[in-house]
């Protein structure tokens, strides 16, 4: 069972402490944010007659931190209103309030003595049973609570969040010697289910798991670079997606983290390990230390390994030339091995292709990879109990697509070890023994179950019921029906899942046909339908290429047929006699939103970026998006005396500016989702929760949604919206074509030229959408926008 934590306290309101408080607020936990009392009164406070004794002054650090959360980018809060869950305070006046919370998180400066002094104070007010944790990134968990009572130690552990806490999946839990194992398990469950984290249990060793391996990898990369004379851009070309790593690769990552922070993390290991060879690796090279001394510490200082400048060509990013320590233009990097990796599909094939090459970039990749793999193998049992925790820590903490042992399997365990030995490298004994026993990989799959090596034999990996893998279900022959764009998959318990798998999950005739076939199948043989997939993004909209081709060929009947098919499919889905639950994640745009709107409920991933963005390509929503927004408004304002014009104006602004939500919570605030729609913090649990929602509809006795009339603002309301667009045009904020699109959007949202307050049908609104869409497809400037989006991947303002 996950521990029930409803109230928490965070001590330390710096960037990390405030961001952790923000994420607790995101999941509805009331949080007390404490910091020290300032030593001085600011000029602004003096002008208000405030002294050091005033609560506003004493709580200033925490109060300012909460205010910053509302403005920080990327946003730490799902919705700026969630800041109301955080209460500012200070350590001297408010420490006794810790008796009211379920969890205390310490996030003060990384200094052992300061932490020990704080825990001494905390224990004086500590309520037995309250969890106390440290967010330390490397200080010993056991050392921090020396001198504390046994009861306190039993409830104390490390909870190392990665920055920024809202977005980074990894949470390392580090038990102390006396931590109660039940509490470790409870906090692990809480981290996964409530906070939405990928949790690994680490041992109390310097820098724990991810920072230990990640820092080692970055340092050996630097060493190879300096020894062999590679450039900054060459290293980043090799150590990014070609190796299954993020685009930020090595040096953009260092610039983002901050070179000062990285040197501190490396020094922490350097000081604490005893092996001289390991110590030498963690002694940061002089070039890094010199850059820190110069203040060239990365993005926060405006320069590090890269530097942004403005010149006649606009913005330019220069790279550091290490031999001269001057910045210059970046050079394009290419080679056969990099091209092979680029064209290979999937991380396993990419890294295999890169390391199979014969050029100097393949050599660099191999020299880095072999050291990271051997180091990881040496640390099994020391920094983590199993290879699973190490692999997951690197994937969740450093955004690697493959952990070290998954990488080893991908490139061939036995073959790569033979190569390492031929180069004179020492292989850890357990790895050699494992191979000698006839094993050729660290992981294997049998009977749909994954096994991994642990203590000399294959051990079954824990299967969590909350985690549903569509790929695994396909391997188990659970596909009911399928075509090139989508598949219907049996989730069990009478629920089927409609999965998109077209390029970018863009909606074309194949997906629409599969939606229709899915309804037929569910009608006959299932109780409910979930619409979900596990692609990078849920759906980026309709297939723009097909629309553009038909429009350029002036095949207007064909365009009309495409839109009618979309509209009719969504209308049927909305009034389907079985419950439908949509489960979007990440980008759900345009047609992706219109697929979700007919569902009885949307169960979204918390990180869902949701919006009707058709105006960006010179069009308006025509798959029922405009109709649904006006219908929901009509349903929510039942009093005919209430003027709905302001609400329609807001819809007009959101759709007309292609506004995209910054989270699922923000999508509700914008009105794209309903109050009854929900979100899930852990995306791994999304399909499980959507399936549960569908089953709840069944258990409650589902009845299909009836056809409803829509109250519209009519011609007078249209005039109001069009006047707003005209004023924006006069102010130079929009182009002539923007105004044309806005006028057509206003016509649709207003319900056309009928009198205000007229009740119209859903089909009437769909007809207005389709007519406006078709007329815009014929506009040359719209076709230019569509072409630009397809070729450049961004909107054209023409």
């Amino acid at each position: 069972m996950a521990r029930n934590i409803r109230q928490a306290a965070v001590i330390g309101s710096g960037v990390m402490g405030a961001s952790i408080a923000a994420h607790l607020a995101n999941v509805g936990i009331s949080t007390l944010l404490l910091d020290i009392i300032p030593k001085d009164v600011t000029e602004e406070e003096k002008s208000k007659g405030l002294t050091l004794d005033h609560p506003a002054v004493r709580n200033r650090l925490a109060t300012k931190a909460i205010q910053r959360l509302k403005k920080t980018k990327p946003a730490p809060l799902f919705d700026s209103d969630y800041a109301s869950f955080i209460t500012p305070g200070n350590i001297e006046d408010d420490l006794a309030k810790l008796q009211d919370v379920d969890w205390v998180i310490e996030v003060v400066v990384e200094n052992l003595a300061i932490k020990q002094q704080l825990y001494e104070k905390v224990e004086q007010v500590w309520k037995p049973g309250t969890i106390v944790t440290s967010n330390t990134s490397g200080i010993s968990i056991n050392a921090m609570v020396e001198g504390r009572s046994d009861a306190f130690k039993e409830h104390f552990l490390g909870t190392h969040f990665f920055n920024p806490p809202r977005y980074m999946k990894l949470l390392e839990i580090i038990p102390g010697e006396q931590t109660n194992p039940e509490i470790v398990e409870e906090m692990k469950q809480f981290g996964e289910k409530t906070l939405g984290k990928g949790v690994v249990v680490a041992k109390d060793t310097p820098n724990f798991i991810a920072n230990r391996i990640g820092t080692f990898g970055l340092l050996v990369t630097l060493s190879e670079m300096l020894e062999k004379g590679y450039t900054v851009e060459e290293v980043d070309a090799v150590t990014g997606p070609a190796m299954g790593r993020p685009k930020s690769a090595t040096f953009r990552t260092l610039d983002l983290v901050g070179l000062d922070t990285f040197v501190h993390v490396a020094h922490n290991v350097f000081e604490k390990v005893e092996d001289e060879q390991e110590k030498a690796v963690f002694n940061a090279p002089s070039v890094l230390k010199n850059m820190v001394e110069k203040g060239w510490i990365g993005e926060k200082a405006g320069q590090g390994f890269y530097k942004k400048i403005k010149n006649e060509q606009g913005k330019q990013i220069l790279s550091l030339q290490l031999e001269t320590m001057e910045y210059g233009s970046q050079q394009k990097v290419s080679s056969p091995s990099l091209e092979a990796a680029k064209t290979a599909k999937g991380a396993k094939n990419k890294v295999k292709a890169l390391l199979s090459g014969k050029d100097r970039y393949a050599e660099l990749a191999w020299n880095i990879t072999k050291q990271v793999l051997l180091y990881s193998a040496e640390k099994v049992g020391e920094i983590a109990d199993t290879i699973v925790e190490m692999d997951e820590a690197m994937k969740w903490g450093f955004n690697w697509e493959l952990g070290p042992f998954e990488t080893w399997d991908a490139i061939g365990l036995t073959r790569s070890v033979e190569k390492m030995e031929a180069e004179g490298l020492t292989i850890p004994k357990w790895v050699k023994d494992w191979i000698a026993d006839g094993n050729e990989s660290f992981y294997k799959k049998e009977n749909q179950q994954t096994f991994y090596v642990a203590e000399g034999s294959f051990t079954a990996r824990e299967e969590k019921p909350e985690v549903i893998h569509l790929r695994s279900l396909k391997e188990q022959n659970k596909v009911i029906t399928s075509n090139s764009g989508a598949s219907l998959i049996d989730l069990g318990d009478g629920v089927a899942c409609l999965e998109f798998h077209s390029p970018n999950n863009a909606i074309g005739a194949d997906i629409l046909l599969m939606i229709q076939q899915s309804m037929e199948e569910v009608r006959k043989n299932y109780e409910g339908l979930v619409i979900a997939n596990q692609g990078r993004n849920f759906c980026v909209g309709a297939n723009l290429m097909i629309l553009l081709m038909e429009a350029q060929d002036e095949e207007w009947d064909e365009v009309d047929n495409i839109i009618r098919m979309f509209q009719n499919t969504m209308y049927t889905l909305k009034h389907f006699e079985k419950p439908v639950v949509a489960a979007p994640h990440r980008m759900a745009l345009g047609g992706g939103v219109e697929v979700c709107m007919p569902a009885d409920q949307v169960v979204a991933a918390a990180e869902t970026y949701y919006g009707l963005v058709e105006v960006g390509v010179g069009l308006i929503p025509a798959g029922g998006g405009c109709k649904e927004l006006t219908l929901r408004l009509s349903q929510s304002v039942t009093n005919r005396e209430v003027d709905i014009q302001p609400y329609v104006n807001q819809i007009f602004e959101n759709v007309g500016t292609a506004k995209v939500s910054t989270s699922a919570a923000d999508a509700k605030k914008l009105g794209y989702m309903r109050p009854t729609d929900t979100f899930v913090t852990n995306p791994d649990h999304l399909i499980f929760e959507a399936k549960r929602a569908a089953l709840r509809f069944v258990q409650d006795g589902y009845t299909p949604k009836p056809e409803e009339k829509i109250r519209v603002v009519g011609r007078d309301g249209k005039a109001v919206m069009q006047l707003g667009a005209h004023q924006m045009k006069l102010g130079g904020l929009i182009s002539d074509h923007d105004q044309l699109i806005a006028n057509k959007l206003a016509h649709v949202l207003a319900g056309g030229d009928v009198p205000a307050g007229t009740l119209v049908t859903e089909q009437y609104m769909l007809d207005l959408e389709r007519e406006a869409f078709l007329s815009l497809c014929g506009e040359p400037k719209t076709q230019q926008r569509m072409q630009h989006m397809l070729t450049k991947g961004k909107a054209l303002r023409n």
Side-chain angles (χ1 to χ4, degrees), residues 90-124:
N90 68 77
I91 295 170
E92 288 185 28
D93 301 331
D94 301 308
L95 213 58
K97 293 178 181 177
L98 300 186
Q99 294 180 356
D100 301 327
V101 306
D102 307 302
W103 181 18
V104 178
I105 313 166
E106 168 269 306
V107 200
V108 302
V109 64
E110 288 285 81
N111 179 295
L112 178 59
I114 290 173
K115 289 179 187 288
Q116 288 174 330
Q117 291 165 15
L118 176 63
Y119 289 125
E120 184 178 359
K121 291 179 181 177
V122 168
E123 187 170 14
Q124 291 170 12

Side-chain angles (χ1 to χ4, degrees), residues 6 312 371 432 520 553 578 632 713 720 726:
R6 300 312 312 150
E312 304 81 46
Q371 293 183 74
K432 292 192 71 172
E520 284 299 314
D553 292 342
K578 300 286 180 78
R632 290 176 185 183
V713 292
V720 171
H726 180 65

Side-chain angles (χ1 to χ4, degrees), residues 250-470:
T250 297
F251 295 110
R252 289 191 194 281
T253 296
L254 282 170
D255 279 357
L256 287 166
V257 168
L259 273 63
D260 52 341
T261 302
F262 178 76
V263 168
H264 171 78
V265 171
H267 186 68
N268 190 50
V269 182
F270 173 79
E271 278 193 318
K272 292 174 181 173
V273 297
E274 296 179 2
D275 181 85
E276 289 303 318
Q277 279 188 309
E278 187 174 9
K279 219 173 177 61
V281 173
F282 282 93
N283 186 10
S286 57
V287 65
L288 270 186
K289 294 174 182 174
N290 292 340
M291 288 174 72
V292 172
E293 286 173 14
K294 287 173 178 277
W296 297 2
I297 57 174
E299 197 157 282
K300 56 191 174 186
Q303 65 185 106
F305 284 100
Y306 292 97
K307 180 180 182 179
K308 289 180 185 175
I309 63 165
K310 287 184 180 178
N311 53 27
E312 304 81 46
Q313 289 80 41
K315 291 180 182 176
Q316 189 179 357
I317 300 176
L318 307 178
S319 61
L320 186 63
Q321 321 293 313
L322 293 185
E323 61 276 9
T324 62
M325 293 304 286
E326 294 178 353
Y327 292 93
S329 299
Q330 294 184 60
Q331 302 303 308
K332 188 170 175 58
V333 180
S334 182
S335 80
S337 65
L338 288 171
E339 286 304 308
K342 192 174 183 180
T343 55
K345 298 292 184 185
K348 291 181 181 180
N349 291 324
K350 284 182 183 296
V351 70
K352 197 172 178 180
L354 177 63
L355 294 180
S356 299
K358 302 297 181 186
D359 54 47
R360 64 194 296 265
Y361 298 128
E363 181 187 353
L364 173 63
W366 168 248
N367 287 339
I368 295 167
T369 301
K370 68 185 181 184
Q371 293 183 74
V372 171
L373 299 186
L374 290 173
Y375 186 73
S376 300
E378 287 168 8
K379 295 303 163 190
V380 174
E382 180 185 331
I383 67 175
D385 281 330
T386 71
I387 66 169
V388 173
E389 278 128 347
M390 297 171 81
D391 278 346
E392 290 185 332
M394 297 316 299
K395 290 190 290 184
W396 295 337
F398 277 72
N399 291 324
W400 291 8
E401 289 190 58
L402 301 171
F405 297 96
E406 291 171 330
T407 299
W408 217 331
D409 280 358
I411 64 173
L413 174 58
T414 52
R415 187 171 64 251
S416 60
V417 165
E418 286 170 5
K419 186 176 179 182
M420 291 172 188
E421 289 187 307
E423 293 176 4
L425 297 170
T426 303
I427 312 299
K429 182 178 182 301
W430 75 266
V431 176
K432 292 192 71 172
D433 290 345
W434 182 245
I435 294 171
D437 286 342
N439 297 294
E440 296 185 349
S441 65
F442 292 117
Y443 292 91
K444 73 172 182 177
K445 207 162 191 179
E446 267 183 19
N447 300 321
Q448 310 307 323
Q449 176 123 31
T450 301
F451 296 82
Y452 63 93
V453 57
E455 297 180 354
S457 63
F458 273 119
T459 300
R461 190 166 179 178
E462 179 190 3
E463 299 289 340
K464 298 174 183 175
E466 301 91 352
V467 179
I468 294 174
H469 295 291
L470 295 180

Side-chain angles (χ1 to χ4, degrees), residues 586-643:
R586 287 183 59 84
M587 302 300 286
L589 304 175
V593 172
E594 290 176 308
V595 165
C596 295
M597 282 181 157
D600 296 285
Q601 187 176 358
V602 171
V603 177
E607 299 300 338
T608 298
Y609 315 118
Y610 202 77
L612 295 168
V613 297
E614 286 83 352
V615 296
V617 289
L619 299 167
I620 68 155
C626 296
K627 179 264 291 183
E628 277 300 310
L629 290 175
T630 53
L631 173 60
R632 290 176 185 183
L633 172 58
S634 183
Q635 289 170 331
S636 65
V637 184
T638 55
N639 185 344
R640 296 294 300 271
E641 300 301 314
V642 174
D643 181 12

Side-chain angles (χ1 to χ4, degrees), residues 431-612:
V431 176
K432 292 192 71 172
D433 290 345
W434 182 245
I435 294 171
D437 286 342
N439 297 294
E440 296 185 349
S441 65
F442 292 117
Y443 292 91
K444 73 172 182 177
K445 207 162 191 179
E446 267 183 19
N447 300 321
Q448 310 307 323
Q449 176 123 31
T450 301
F451 296 82
Y452 63 93
V453 57
E455 297 180 354
S457 63
F458 273 119
T459 300
R461 190 166 179 178
E462 179 190 3
E463 299 289 340
K464 298 174 183 175
E466 301 91 352
V467 179
I468 294 174
H469 295 291
L470 295 180
R471 180 181 294 178
S472 178
L473 291 176
K474 288 178 176 180
E475 290 169 359
Q476 296 171 47
N477 298 316
K478 298 289 186 180
V479 175
I480 303 160
T481 184
S482 182
N483 67 18
S484 59
S487 297
L488 187 67
I489 302 165
D490 189 346
L491 295 179
D493 301 314
V495 179
C497 177
L498 176 65
E499 176 206 31
F500 300 165
H501 46 65
S502 63
N504 294 317
N505 288 343
I507 299 168
D510 49 2
I511 285 181
L512 294 173
L513 185 62
M514 185 50 59
I515 294 174
Q516 293 168 10
Q517 291 176 355
S518 296
M519 285 189 279
E520 284 299 314
E521 187 66 39
V522 171
R523 182 178 288 117
K524 294 174 189 172
N525 300 312
Y526 291 85
E527 298 295 327
L529 176 66
V530 165
I531 301 175
N533 64 70
Q534 292 172 323
R536 177 170 173 76
N537 295 305
F538 175 75
C539 176
V540 296
N543 190 323
L544 201 58
M545 176 67 80
I546 291 174
L547 276 172
L548 178 60
M549 288 169 60
E550 299 292 0
Q552 287 176 333
D553 292 342
E554 298 186 0
E555 295 286 352
W556 304 122
D557 286 346
E558 193 56 42
V559 176
D560 185 64
N561 288 337
I562 292 170
I563 303 309
R564 282 180 188 274
M565 185 181 185
F566 198 163
Q567 289 185 342
N568 292 341
T569 304
M570 293 306 104
Y571 182 87
T572 308
L573 187 67
K574 179 178 178 180
H575 298 287
F576 185 50
E577 56 265 38
K578 300 286 180 78
V580 178
V581 177
H585 66 279
R586 287 183 59 84
M587 302 300 286
L589 304 175
V593 172
E594 290 176 308
V595 165
C596 295
M597 282 181 157
D600 296 285
Q601 187 176 358
V602 171
V603 177
E607 299 300 338
T608 298
Y609 315 118
Y610 202 77
L612 295 168

